[in-house]
Amino acid sequence: MRTLVFDGRTGAAGDMICAALIAAGADPAVLGPVRDALPVRYAVGETEKNGIRATTVDVLVDGDDAGDADSDRGHAHGNDHSHGHDHSPDNDHSHDHGHDHETDASRDETHAEGAGVHRSYREVVDLVESMGLPDAVESTALDAFELLGRAEASVHGTDLAETHFHEVGADDAIADVVGAALLLADLDPERVVTTPVAAGGGTVEMSHGTYPVPAPATTEIASRAGFRVVGGPIDRELLTPTGAAILGAVAEGVDAVPDLDVERAGYGAGDADFERHPNVLRALVGDGGREESETDRERTAGGNLVRDDIVVLETNLDDAAPEVLGGLQETLERAGARDVTIVPTTMKKSRPGHLVKVICKPADAEAVAERLARETGTLGVRQSGASHRWIAEREFETATLRVDGADHEVTVKVASTTDGEVYDVSGEYDDAAAVAEATSLPIREVLRRAEAAVRERIADE
C-alpha cells in the first residue's frame, strides 16, 4: 500500500505541508487553479535548516492586492505565530528561501500573509466550490475548512454558518489549504498518516489575551482530528490551526513512523530558525502494508483480525422515557457512534434504570458525548478504559433474488479475516423485511436465500 507519512516533530503549518509535499515528489504545476482564482502565486525555493536541505513555499501577491496583514495569519484572533509558519509578518525572519524556482519575486510583490479580503465560512466554501477542482481535491479542502470553521464556532460559541474567518479566510490561507489538497492528489497515496505533532510550549499573544500553547483554535481542531498532539520540544508555537486542519482532514494518527519501503523523503521548511531543532516537516512516501500500522490497525498474533482504535462512552439513566431510549441508536449514529447498547440495570435505592454504552472513534468522542447528554439529560458521560477492539474485515455485497418473475435486492455483510478467509455471511434485516413485505415470503427465508446466493458466489471465485 503506497503510504504518505507526515513526521511533525517540530510542528506543522500550511506552507510547511505544501513544501513537504513538493519535496516528496508532488508537481507544483498542479497549483494552477489557485493562481487562476486568487491574485497570488507560489514561490517555491530551497533553504537549509540545521544542516537539512529543505523546500520552502511562499504565497506571494501583487503589492496592489496585498492589503493589511494582521498579526495572525493562521488564527482568526491576532496570534503572533512565533513559530514562523504560515508567513506571519510578526516574525523577524528574512525568509531565507533561496532561489525561487517559479520566477523571481519582483519588488511589486509581497508575502500574502493575511492579504486580500477576509471571508465568512460560507464565502470560503463558495470560493472553493467555484474553482472547478477535482471532486477529491474539493472534498479535502472543504473538510479542512469545516474543521477550522467548527473550531472557531466552538471557541466563540457561534454557529458554523455565522463564523467569520479573518486570517484563515484570507488569500494565503486558502492558497495553503487548497494547494495542499492539490499536491496531495498529485502524489496520490493510498493512505496518509501522521505521527504525533509537536504543538510547542509557552504562551501566545492574541487579541483577546495571552493563552497557553496550543492556542484555543488549534486545541479544538486537534480534539476533532484523528492524530495526537504533544508538547515541546521548545517554548514556541509550532502547530498552527491551518496546519492542524489540513492534517486533520487527510491523515490518520499513528504512534510512530510505520514500517515503510521509502521511495521519497522530503522536508518542508518553516521560516523560523531554532538553535537545536531543524524547523522542518518531514514527508515520507513508500510502500507499507495495511497491517503495518501500529495504532489503528494491527494484526493479532494469529493474523486473523485487525485492530480498530475506539472510545467507549457510558452513562447511567434512571428517568429516561422509552421514546428517548428508542431513538438513541439513530441520533447517536448521526453524531459518529459506531454502536449503541442499552442495558436494563438496577441503580441506587433499587430504582430501575438503564446503562447506555456507546462505541465511537476517538475523534468523534466529544461530539457523541455531547449528543448523548443533550438527548438524555444525563449530568455526566464517562469514558471507559477500552482503547481498541479487534474486528473482522467487512465488505457488503448485493444478492439479487428472483421471486414470481421480479428481482429484489438484499444487502449482505461478509466478514473475513485479514488473510481473506470468509467466516460469516449475514443479510441485512431491513432489506430482507422489505422484500418479505413485497413477496409474502417469511423474512428468515429471504435472509436464507440472500446469504446462500452470496456464499455460492464466493465459492465460485
Side-chain angles (χ1 to χ4, degrees):
M1 177 180 292
R2 192 162 187 265
T3 300
L4 167 65
V5 181
F6 287 110
D7 188 8
R9 302 186 193 200
T10 49
D15 56 337
M16 295 175 76
I17 293 172
C18 290
L21 290 170
I22 291 172
D27 185 358
V30 302
L31 298 170
V34 179
R35 294 192 296 265
D36 293 340
L38 296 172
V40 301
R41 71 178 185 85
Y42 296 88
V44 180
E46 292 180 355
T47 189
E48 185 176 293
K49 296 291 183 180
N50 298 64
I52 295 177
R53 183 180 180 183
T55 298
T56 62
V57 171
D58 274 319
V59 179
L60 303 178
V61 64
D62 284 338
D64 291 341
D65 296 319
D68 293 329
D70 294 337
S71 63
D72 174 15
R73 168 253 175 269
H75 295 300
H77 313 297
N79 168 16
D80 70 353
H81 275 290
S82 60
H83 190 319
H85 294 167
D86 291 346
H87 322 292
S88 169
D90 280 357
N91 287 306
D92 187 17
H93 300 298
S94 61
H95 295 278
D96 54 343
H97 292 168
H99 181 65
D100 172 5
H101 292 299
E102 185 182 32
T103 117
D104 291 335
S106 73
R107 62 185 178 183
D108 294 327
E109 293 176 312
T110 185
H111 294 286
E113 57 270 5
V117 296
H118 296 165
R119 302 171 175 90
S120 68
Y121 171 75
R122 185 68 251 176
E123 289 170 333
V124 171
V125 170
D126 290 343
L127 174 59
V128 172
E129 290 179 342
S130 73
M131 291 183 177
L133 302 168
D135 290 344
V137 173
E138 180 179 294
S139 177
T140 296
L142 292 179
D143 285 349
F145 276 114
E146 183 176 353
L147 275 173
L148 284 162
R150 291 193 182 281
E152 291 294 339
S154 177
V155 169
H156 294 288
T158 60
D159 292 332
L160 179 62
E162 299 173 357
T163 300
H164 190 85
F165 292 140
H166 294 283
E167 298 312 312
V168 172
D171 290 345
D172 61 327
I174 294 173
D176 280 347
V177 173
V178 180
L182 287 162
L183 293 166
L184 180 65
D186 185 61
L187 274 182
D188 194 26
E190 297 174 82
R191 187 164 182 252
V192 182
V193 301
T194 180
T195 63
V197 184
T203 59
V204 62
E205 294 296 328
M206 299 170 58
S207 59
H208 299 289
T210 301
Y211 289 82
V213 170
T218 304
T219 303
E220 187 64 29
I221 292 169
S223 73
R224 297 170 183 270
F227 62 89
R228 289 199 299 118
V229 171
V230 296
I234 59 175
D235 281 345
R236 299 280 293 272
E237 185 187 35
L238 302 182
L239 177 62
T240 67
T242 305
I246 294 171
L247 292 179
V250 305
E252 309 166 32
V254 294
D255 286 338
V257 175
D259 292 344
L260 201 68
D261 293 329
V262 178
E263 299 171 9
R264 293 287 300 267
Y267 298 85
D271 295 332
D273 293 312
F274 306 138
E275 182 178 355
R276 296 180 57 84
H277 300 278
N279 186 14
V280 296
L281 172 66
R282 181 168 65 165
L284 305 172
V285 178
D287 186 60
R290 179 190 298 262
E291 69 276 11
E292 290 168 344
S293 168
E294 295 182 7
T295 55
D296 72 316
R297 291 202 161 193
E298 75 183 28
R299 288 183 181 270
T300 64
N304 293 325
L305 299 177
V306 292
R307 172 172 163 160
D308 181 38
D309 283 348
I310 60 165
V311 165
V312 178
L313 304 175
E314 298 180 345
T315 191
N316 293 88
L317 306 174
D318 61 3
D319 59 354
E323 296 84 0
V324 171
L325 294 175
L328 276 182
Q329 183 83 35
E330 183 178 352
T331 55
L332 294 180
E333 282 182 354
R334 286 201 298 266
R338 302 301 177 93
D339 192 27
V340 180
T341 303
I342 302 174
V343 183
T345 188
T346 301
M347 302 180 66
K348 61 184 179 181
K349 299 183 180 179
S350 298
R351 295 173 181 170
H354 294 85
L355 169 63
V356 180
K357 296 173 70 73
V358 185
I359 294 175
C360 62
K361 298 296 289 181
D364 298 324
E366 183 177 359
V368 173
E370 180 181 353
R371 176 51 56 189
L372 178 58
R374 289 182 180 276
E375 292 291 333
T376 65
T378 183
L379 299 181
V381 177
R382 59 187 176 272
Q383 181 171 318
S384 76
S387 63
H388 62 274
R389 59 180 176 175
W390 298 107
I391 62 173
E393 297 278 14
R394 283 167 280 187
E395 296 182 354
F396 293 88
E397 298 195 14
T398 300
T400 302
L401 308 183
R402 191 164 186 81
V403 182
D404 296 332
D407 289 338
H408 304 272
E409 293 185 343
V410 177
T411 301
V412 178
K413 180 166 58 180
V414 179
S416 63
T417 60
T418 53
D419 58 5
E421 179 184 353
V422 174
Y423 69 85
D424 186 67
V425 176
S426 178
E428 292 293 292
Y429 178 85
D430 288 346
D431 288 358
V435 174
E437 177 71 20
T439 63
S440 298
L441 287 172
I443 293 175
R444 66 177 183 173
E445 176 62 16
V446 174
L447 289 170
R448 185 192 67 78
R449 294 188 188 186
E451 292 164 2
V454 171
R455 283 195 176 97
E456 183 177 350
R457 185 188 309 165
I458 293 172
D460 292 338
E461 290 179 352

